[in-house]
Amino acid sequence: MDRAARIGHLGELAETMIGYVENKTTFQGKDTMTVPAASYCDEKVYRQEIDRVFKRLPLMLAFTAELPNAGDYKAMDAVGMPVLITRDKDGTVRAFLNVCSHRGAPVAEDGHGNCSRFVCKYHAWTYGRDGRLIGINDQKSFGEVDKAARGLKQLPCEERHGLIFVSLDPEGSIDLDGYFRGYLDDFKDLGFADWHFIGSREIHGANWKIAFDGYLEGYHFQSLHPETIFPRTPSNTMHYEGYGPSMRIGFPQHEIGNLLKEVPREEWGTRENYGYDFVRILFPNVSIFVAPEITQVAQLFPGPTPDKNRTVLNYLCREAPRDDEEAEKLEQMVNFFRDVTYEEDYVIGLQIQKGLESGAHDELIFGKNERGNQYFHEWLNWYMTGDPSAPEPVM
C-alpha cells in the first residue's frame, strides 16, 4: 500500500470513528474472553513469557534519534540481558551482548554515549564499534588469544523508519516485513527517523500484562481519567486494526465530527490529533502515542519477579527545542505524561495485582468492547504454545 492509499484508509477509519461517537458505539468482538488470573502471578508462566516471547521476537529497543551519529551507542538492560547498540562509522547499527569475552564484565555503562572503541573497565580489553576484539591488555604476559573468535556476541538487529529492533537470541533472526506486515510504514509517513529524542523516565508497576492491558482500551477513560484523558476522548469508543500481532488503535475525540467536517473529506486521513488519535501497539510490549507537541513511547518489560514490571517511557518530538524556554516546556510535558501514566494507571495496576494474588476470582473477563485486549492475549497464547501450524488470531 502506497502513502496515498494509506491516507485514504485512515480517512475511512476517521469516518468510522465519527459514526462511533454519533451513535455511541464502538468496535465489537464476537464474544467475551476469559484469561486465568494465575497467568498474572505464576512463576512458570512468567519464565515462559520471557523465554518464548521476549527472547525470541524482535523487540523495539532504541530509536534512530538516540543514535544519530557515527560512534553513538546505547547500553541497556532488556529482561535481564545486557544489550549494547552501536552505530558504526558507515552508519550501520549493530547490537551485541554487553559482555566482555574475557571475564564477563560490561564494556559500556548503561546509558548513551559516543566513542570509537569500548574498553572493559575490569582488565581493559578493547573492542571496536563493530564488536571485534582489537586489544588485549599486556597480551605478552596473558598468552595467545584468537581475537577473531573473542569478539562481542552479536545479536540480530535491524533499523527501520526511525526504530531499532533487536532479537535477544544470538542464533535467531529478524524478519520485520513478515512480522509487522506493512505496519511500520506508518513511521515512514511520520518521518520518525528525523525526530528528536528528548529523554526517558522509568517507572515500575505490577505484572507487565496488567500494565499493558491498560494501554489497549479506552473503556476506563471516564472512570479512571476524568480530568486528564476523558475531557478530550470519550470513554469506551475505540477502533482496532491488527497487523500480525501488532495493532493500531483509533480513539476519536469528542469533537471529531465538528473538527473533520471543517476540512475536505480527502484530507481526513491526514488529521491525526485533530479529531482523532492513534495508539500504535508493537507486540509484545510497546505502546506509542503521537501528539503534536510530544510523543510518548512506552516499553514494558517483565520485572525481576512475576508481580513486577519495569517500564521505560521515552519522549520524542518532531524538532529539537529552539531555546531553553521551549526545552523547559517539553520537560514539563514529559513529567505530566509520566505522572498521569504512573499515578492513574500504574497505581491501580498494583491494586489489581494484589487482588489477583488474593485468589478472589479464578479468571478475568474481557468484554466484546475490549477487543484489543483479547487480540493481545490471543497472540500471546499463540506464541506461548509454540505451534506455528496453529491458526493465527484474526482481528
Side-chain angles (χ1 to χ4, degrees):
M1 185 184 295
D2 61 21
R3 187 173 188 275
R6 287 194 295 274
I7 289 174
H9 176 66
L10 296 182
E12 293 171 359
L13 298 185
E15 190 166 25
T16 297
M17 288 189 282
I18 288 176
Y20 289 160
V21 173
E22 290 180 346
N23 299 307
K24 300 188 184 308
T25 57
T26 189
F27 189 101
Q28 293 269 279
K30 294 180 180 179
D31 205 345
T32 60
M33 174 188 179
T34 59
V35 173
S39 67
Y40 294 85
C41 314
D42 185 81
E43 176 78 21
K44 182 178 179 181
V45 171
Y46 157 79
R47 291 294 174 190
Q48 288 177 339
E49 288 168 350
I50 292 175
D51 292 340
R52 299 180 185 181
V53 177
F54 282 88
K55 290 187 177 180
R56 293 186 184 179
L57 299 181
L59 302 179
M60 198 289 292
L61 293 187
F63 309 95
T64 298
E66 290 181 275
L67 294 84
N69 304 309
D72 286 346
Y73 69 86
K74 177 183 182 180
M76 63 178 295
D77 175 274
V79 291
M81 301 284 280
V83 177
L84 174 64
I85 304 170
T86 70
R87 189 177 297 280
D88 208 345
K89 60 183 178 181
D90 64 358
T92 301
V93 171
R94 295 183 175 88
F96 308 93
L97 290 176
N98 184 16
V99 180
C100 180
S101 62
H102 172 215
R103 297 269 291 279
V107 302
E109 297 294 332
D110 281 0
H112 299 83
N114 182 284
C115 65
S116 60
R117 58 189 59 191
F118 298 95
V119 181
C120 175
K121 68 179 182 180
Y122 196 10
H123 295 94
W125 282 34
T126 304
Y127 300 83
R129 291 181 298 212
D130 59 1
R132 292 182 303 113
L133 175 60
I134 58 177
I136 295 174
N137 183 24
D138 198 2
Q139 184 170 2
K140 183 177 180 180
S141 68
F142 188 89
E144 291 298 319
V145 173
D146 181 0
K147 291 182 182 177
R150 289 280 177 177
L152 298 176
K153 179 69 72 174
Q154 191 158 355
L155 298 171
C157 177
E158 186 171 340
E159 183 175 26
R160 183 75 65 87
H161 304 322
L163 305 171
I164 298 171
F165 296 88
V166 177
S167 169
L168 299 180
D169 179 4
E171 306 305 320
S173 61
I174 290 180
D175 175 13
L176 296 184
D177 292 326
Y179 187 66
F180 287 107
R181 307 181 193 187
Y183 191 23
L184 296 183
D185 287 339
D186 265 23
F187 299 92
K188 179 181 179 181
D189 293 343
L190 290 167
F192 208 65
D194 298 320
W195 285 26
H196 173 74
F197 180 72
I198 300 170
S200 62
R201 301 287 189 272
E202 189 168 302
I203 60 176
H204 300 265
N207 178 277
W208 73 278
K209 299 190 299 295
I210 288 177
F212 207 50
D213 280 335
Y215 291 88
L216 303 178
E217 47 86 5
Y219 184 32
H220 66 282
F221 285 175
Q222 185 171 10
S223 52
L224 193 62
H225 306 295
E227 298 179 359
T228 51
I229 297 178
F230 180 67
R232 174 187 179 92
T233 308
S235 207
N236 198 29
T237 313
M238 305 83 71
H239 188 80
Y240 295 102
E241 287 189 298
Y243 293 83
S246 297
M247 282 180 276
R248 184 195 290 124
I249 309 175
F251 292 99
Q253 297 165 18
H254 289 287
E255 297 300 317
I256 182 173
N258 294 331
L259 291 170
L260 292 187
K261 288 172 183 176
E262 293 178 353
V263 299
R265 171 64 178 78
E266 60 269 20
E267 295 181 15
W268 286 9
T270 67
R271 303 298 292 175
E272 181 174 355
N273 301 133
Y274 300 96
Y276 57 88
D277 302 295
F278 289 123
V279 169
R280 294 171 172 89
I281 301 296
L282 304 182
F283 189 90
N285 69 324
V286 172
S287 170
I288 301 172
F289 173 59
V290 176
E293 304 88 355
I294 197 170
T295 286
Q296 175 174 284
V297 182
Q299 299 166 294
L300 285 79
F301 298 99
T305 54
D307 61 330
K308 294 180 175 62
N309 86 79
R310 179 176 70 92
T311 297
V312 181
L313 300 174
N314 303 277
Y315 297 93
L316 301 94
C317 57
R318 286 174 168 81
E319 298 178 357
R322 290 168 291 187
D323 50 40
D324 291 343
E325 182 180 357
E326 195 168 292
E328 176 59 28
K329 288 181 180 179
L330 287 173
E331 282 296 309
Q332 291 174 2
M333 294 183 71
V334 164
N335 291 332
F336 171 77
F337 272 82
R338 186 264 326 266
D339 291 346
V340 169
T341 304
Y342 181 76
E343 294 173 6
E344 297 186 5
D345 289 287
Y346 278 52
V347 167
I348 190 69
L350 292 167
Q351 296 170 338
I352 291 170
Q353 184 75 49
K354 186 176 181 180
L356 297 181
E357 291 175 353
S358 75
H361 304 288
D362 293 334
E363 58 190 19
L364 304 184
I365 183 168
F366 293 108
K368 294 191 295 181
N369 59 329
E370 298 176 300
R371 180 59 191 143
N373 302 79
Q374 295 181 3
Y375 192 69
F376 165 72
H377 284 276
E378 288 168 0
W379 271 100
L380 182 60
N381 292 340
W382 189 86
Y383 281 110
M384 290 284 280
T385 61
D387 181 5
S389 65
E392 292 183 350
V394 177
M395 181 62 77

